[in-house]
Amino acid sequence: MISHSFADTFSEPQFYQRVTPTPVRAPKLIAWSDDVARRLNWQPSDALMQALAGNQVLPGMKPIATRYGGHQFGHWAGQLGDGRAILLGEANGLEVQLKGAGLTPYSRRGDGRAVLRSSVREYLCSEAMHFLGVPTTRALALVTTGDDVIRDMFYDGHPAPEPGAICTRVAESFVRFGHFEILAADGDKVGMQKMLDYVLGFYPGHTLETFFGELCTRTAKLMVEWQRVGFVHGVMNTDNMSILGLTIDYGPYGWMDVYDPEWTPNTTDREHRRYRFGQQPSVSLWNLSQLAGALSLLGTDLREPLEQYRQTYFKEWEHMMANKLGVADFPLELVKELDVILRLQEIDMTIFYRKLADCIAFGMPHGAFYQEMQVPTKEKLSLWLTKWRALKPDAVLMNKTNPAFIVRNYLAQEAVDALMKNDDSVMKALELALQTPYEVNNATKNFLGRRPEWARTKPGCAALSCSS
Ligand code: AMP
Ligand code: MG
């Protein structure tokens, strides 16, 4: 039922260490993804629930924490490792990992636990990304532990107990750029080759050079996807970059409500905005160049594939923007003008693009405006719409590209607030809605409005700290 190629391929303690999840007092299943369960070929059972809470290790499971390093906010941070993630093994070719199941040898000063609010956010967003068609790790289950976790949510000297939770994540592999970087820091050429051979298993037929080229392509495409749906990861350190080009480690991420390329949800990043929406593509390139630097221990020059990144990114971005506007060829001038118009006042990015498809004959995307449309906006937008209409946009293409539903930050927060009162109705409703993000239907229709005014400044809705 379960195997463990990571543990079977590598040795301790250079690559990982065996750990035992720390049992919890009163596990309760809060969410379960049938789709992920099907892929694993798993059925829910009491024994499995206990395993996903860390109270039991099922036959075949070999819990380990893996070792990696990383560049955090542009600086080499040394060894990090799975401080609160425990890899149980794999089923049907997919790795299963618990996040928040207790201390590991890499926990450093952390407690190995995760709070309910961050676990709900990870669960909802990774599932939402999947159904949006964005490469991502998945979530199988969410359990509350019955134990409290102490967090200083705003880092302002007010630690308080919060309910703990464990999110079960699933991916083909959780290997990060940082798994290579730590081996480079060790100067461990043999280990590096071993890690490479392992990763090449996920890239059949590739050599180091072509694998790296493919990773650059996947990462560039991922950045385009984040631009398409208005996602800001918030903490794109190299230890949070997937070797498969997946979105990984949902922490202080956010969805853009108001269009603003300068926006970052992460309060820790507020000053320099390194990880702001518009900068994500170039941060990825920086991260890839750190990885190329690490891989250079093997003596291969990876500058060529790295240089391809920009080209791939812009080609894909132009294609995506053309799709968003429903036209066949990338309309450079229109896109530039639209970028200016969208910043004239507070305009909701998701609603704007979605409503645009209703304006092909006539009309204005009214619902997207956070305040009344001002005269200069109206004038510029009218002119722009006339030019755009002349290109004969395709509404079907637009509605496949522009989601109607995203799990806005405030929606996830509403799910958390309700769960704190033992009410799982919002969670259930969002779980259903996120499965059809391109449709306006009974599941999504109540969640399509602008961010309400109360959420403008509310923590968890407007700004997220790394405390999780
Ligand atoms: P992140 O910024 O969440 O990606 O985490 C960076 C590093 O800190 C990783 O090595 C995590 O495993 C570790 N970490 C984060 N939170 C905790 C925690 N509560 N306990 C132990 N390690 C943690
Ligand atoms: Mg991380």
Side-chain angles (χ1 to χ4, degrees):
M1 163 207 182
I2 195 152
S3 51
H4 206 315
S5 57
F6 195 99
D8 295 344
T9 304
F10 297 111
S11 53
E12 285 184 85
Q14 191 187 0
F15 296 94
Y16 73 89
Q17 293 189 52
R18 285 292 292 261
V19 292
T20 309
T22 309
V24 301
R25 193 169 57 86
K28 189 173 154 211
L29 186 70
I30 297 292
W32 174 264
S33 165
D34 283 323
D35 185 47
V36 177
R38 249 193 317 274
R39 282 162 202 249
L40 292 166
N41 209 1
W42 279 5
Q43 279 81 42
S45 69
D46 284 345
L48 183 57
M49 293 313 135
Q50 291 298 330
L52 301 184
N55 284 0
Q56 238 189 69
V57 175
L58 300 181
M61 287 180 177
K62 234 190 257 179
I64 66 166
T66 72
R67 179 171 175 263
Y68 57 78
H71 280 83
Q72 300 189 316
F73 295 93
H75 304 283
W76 174 241
Q79 179 182 295
L80 301 164
D82 293 324
R84 55 171 170 174
I86 297 181
L87 193 56
L88 297 176
E90 67 201 49
N92 236 353
L94 292 169
E95 289 189 339
V96 180
Q97 189 183 65
L98 306 181
K99 184 168 174 180
L103 289 174
T104 80
Y106 310 107
S107 295
R108 297 176 296 152
R109 273 174 305 180
D111 57 6
R113 291 299 186 189
V115 291
L116 178 63
R117 60 184 154 80
S118 70
S119 308
V120 166
R121 283 167 45 81
E122 171 132 23
Y123 181 94
L124 286 175
C125 193
S126 51
E127 286 307 278
M129 287 293 236
H130 168 73
F131 288 101
L132 282 163
V134 182
T136 180
T137 62
R138 302 286 308 266
L140 169 69
L142 181 64
V143 294
T144 46
T145 60
D147 295 323
D148 279 347
V149 175
I150 309 288
R151 288 288 181 272
D152 185 0
M153 200 195 320
F154 305 110
Y155 300 123
D156 62 356
H158 294 90
E162 291 186 52
I166 300 172
C167 182
T168 304
R169 309 195 289 190
V170 171
E172 248 191 295
S173 170
F174 286 95
V175 170
R176 301 138 191 276
F177 291 10
H179 280 93
F180 285 98
E181 289 179 281
I182 193 69
L183 296 168
D186 294 345
D188 181 356
K189 205 169 158 176
V190 175
M192 179 80 79
Q193 184 64 51
K194 208 163 181 185
M195 185 59 74
L196 175 65
D197 291 341
Y198 179 75
V199 166
L200 288 180
F202 299 99
Y203 288 85
H206 280 277
T207 61
L208 166 54
E209 206 170 349
T210 65
F211 139 71
F212 188 74
E214 171 65 16
L215 175 61
C216 289
T217 302
R218 287 191 194 182
T219 307
K221 287 184 174 172
L222 183 67
M223 293 307 106
V224 171
E225 286 293 81
W226 289 0
Q227 299 285 316
R228 174 171 69 85
V229 299
F231 176 78
V232 190
H233 183 283
V235 57
M236 292 173 67
N237 295 328
T238 55
D239 52 300
N240 291 336
M241 294 291 291
S242 153
I243 209 72
L244 299 181
L246 309 172
T247 313
I248 190 172
D249 273 14
Y250 293 88
Y253 71 83
W255 298 87
M256 277 216 298
D257 297 303
V258 171
Y259 178 76
D260 176 9
E262 307 301 310
W263 184 68
T264 174
N266 183 357
T267 50
T268 313
D269 193 26
R270 197 166 261 169
E271 195 185 341
H272 300 292
R273 296 179 183 263
R274 179 181 177 83
Y275 298 140
R276 62 187 183 267
F277 180 73
Q279 186 148 283
Q280 298 184 116
S282 43
V283 167
S284 272
L285 176 57
W286 190 87
N287 289 342
L288 283 161
S289 62
Q290 298 310 310
L291 177 60
L295 287 165
S296 68
L297 190 64
L298 297 176
T300 305
D301 187 345
L302 296 171
R303 270 175 298 185
E304 168 72 25
L306 208 50
E307 272 159 28
Q308 291 290 319
Y309 174 91
R310 267 179 222 281
Q311 242 177 305
T312 309
Y313 175 76
F314 283 113
K315 192 179 110 240
E316 295 291 333
W317 179 78
E318 289 179 5
H319 183 64
M320 179 278 287
M321 287 305 294
N323 287 349
K324 269 184 107 61
L325 296 177
V327 299
D329 297 313
F330 174 66
L332 176 62
E333 285 313 312
L334 273 191
V335 168
K336 276 198 205 158
E337 285 169 24
L338 184 58
D339 179 64
V340 173
I341 293 168
L342 288 178
R343 299 179 202 221
L344 290 175
Q345 57 183 95
E346 289 186 352
I347 302 175
D348 192 276
M349 172 177 157
T350 302
I351 299 176
F352 181 88
Y353 280 104
R354 185 71 189 193
K355 291 276 178 205
L356 201 55
D358 299 337
C359 305
I360 288 177
F362 57 86
M364 286 264 188
H366 281 288
F369 288 78
Y370 279 85
Q371 297 86 23
E372 210 179 314
M373 202 188 303
Q374 287 152 15
V375 176
T377 315
K378 197 175 258 170
E379 286 172 1
K380 290 197 174 71
L381 185 54
S382 300
L383 269 171
W384 185 91
L385 284 167
T386 307
K387 287 190 258 180
W388 171 69
R389 283 174 189 134
L391 301 178
K392 306 251 177 295
D394 172 358
V396 175
L397 175 60
M398 293 176 77
N399 286 340
K400 279 199 299 202
T401 310
N402 301 316
F405 172 79
I406 54 170
V407 191
R408 289 176 192 270
N409 314 316
Y410 90 88
L411 290 173
Q413 186 61 40
E414 284 189 327
V416 172
D417 291 343
L419 283 168
M420 297 286 270
K421 296 180 201 142
N422 285 319
D423 169 5
D424 67 359
S425 59
V426 184
M427 182 77 186
K428 290 265 174 295
L430 292 178
E431 273 190 87
L432 199 62
L434 63 80
Q435 296 180 33
T436 54
Y438 299 97
E439 288 173 30
V440 177
N441 58 26
N442 279 338
T444 60
K445 69 173 190 232
N446 295 329
F447 301 119
L448 305 182
R450 295 185 299 269
R451 173 200 64 202
E453 208 39 45
W454 59 260
R456 180 181 287 272
T457 49
K458 188 177 163 171
C461 301
L464 280 304
S465 80
C466 283
S467 144
S468 59

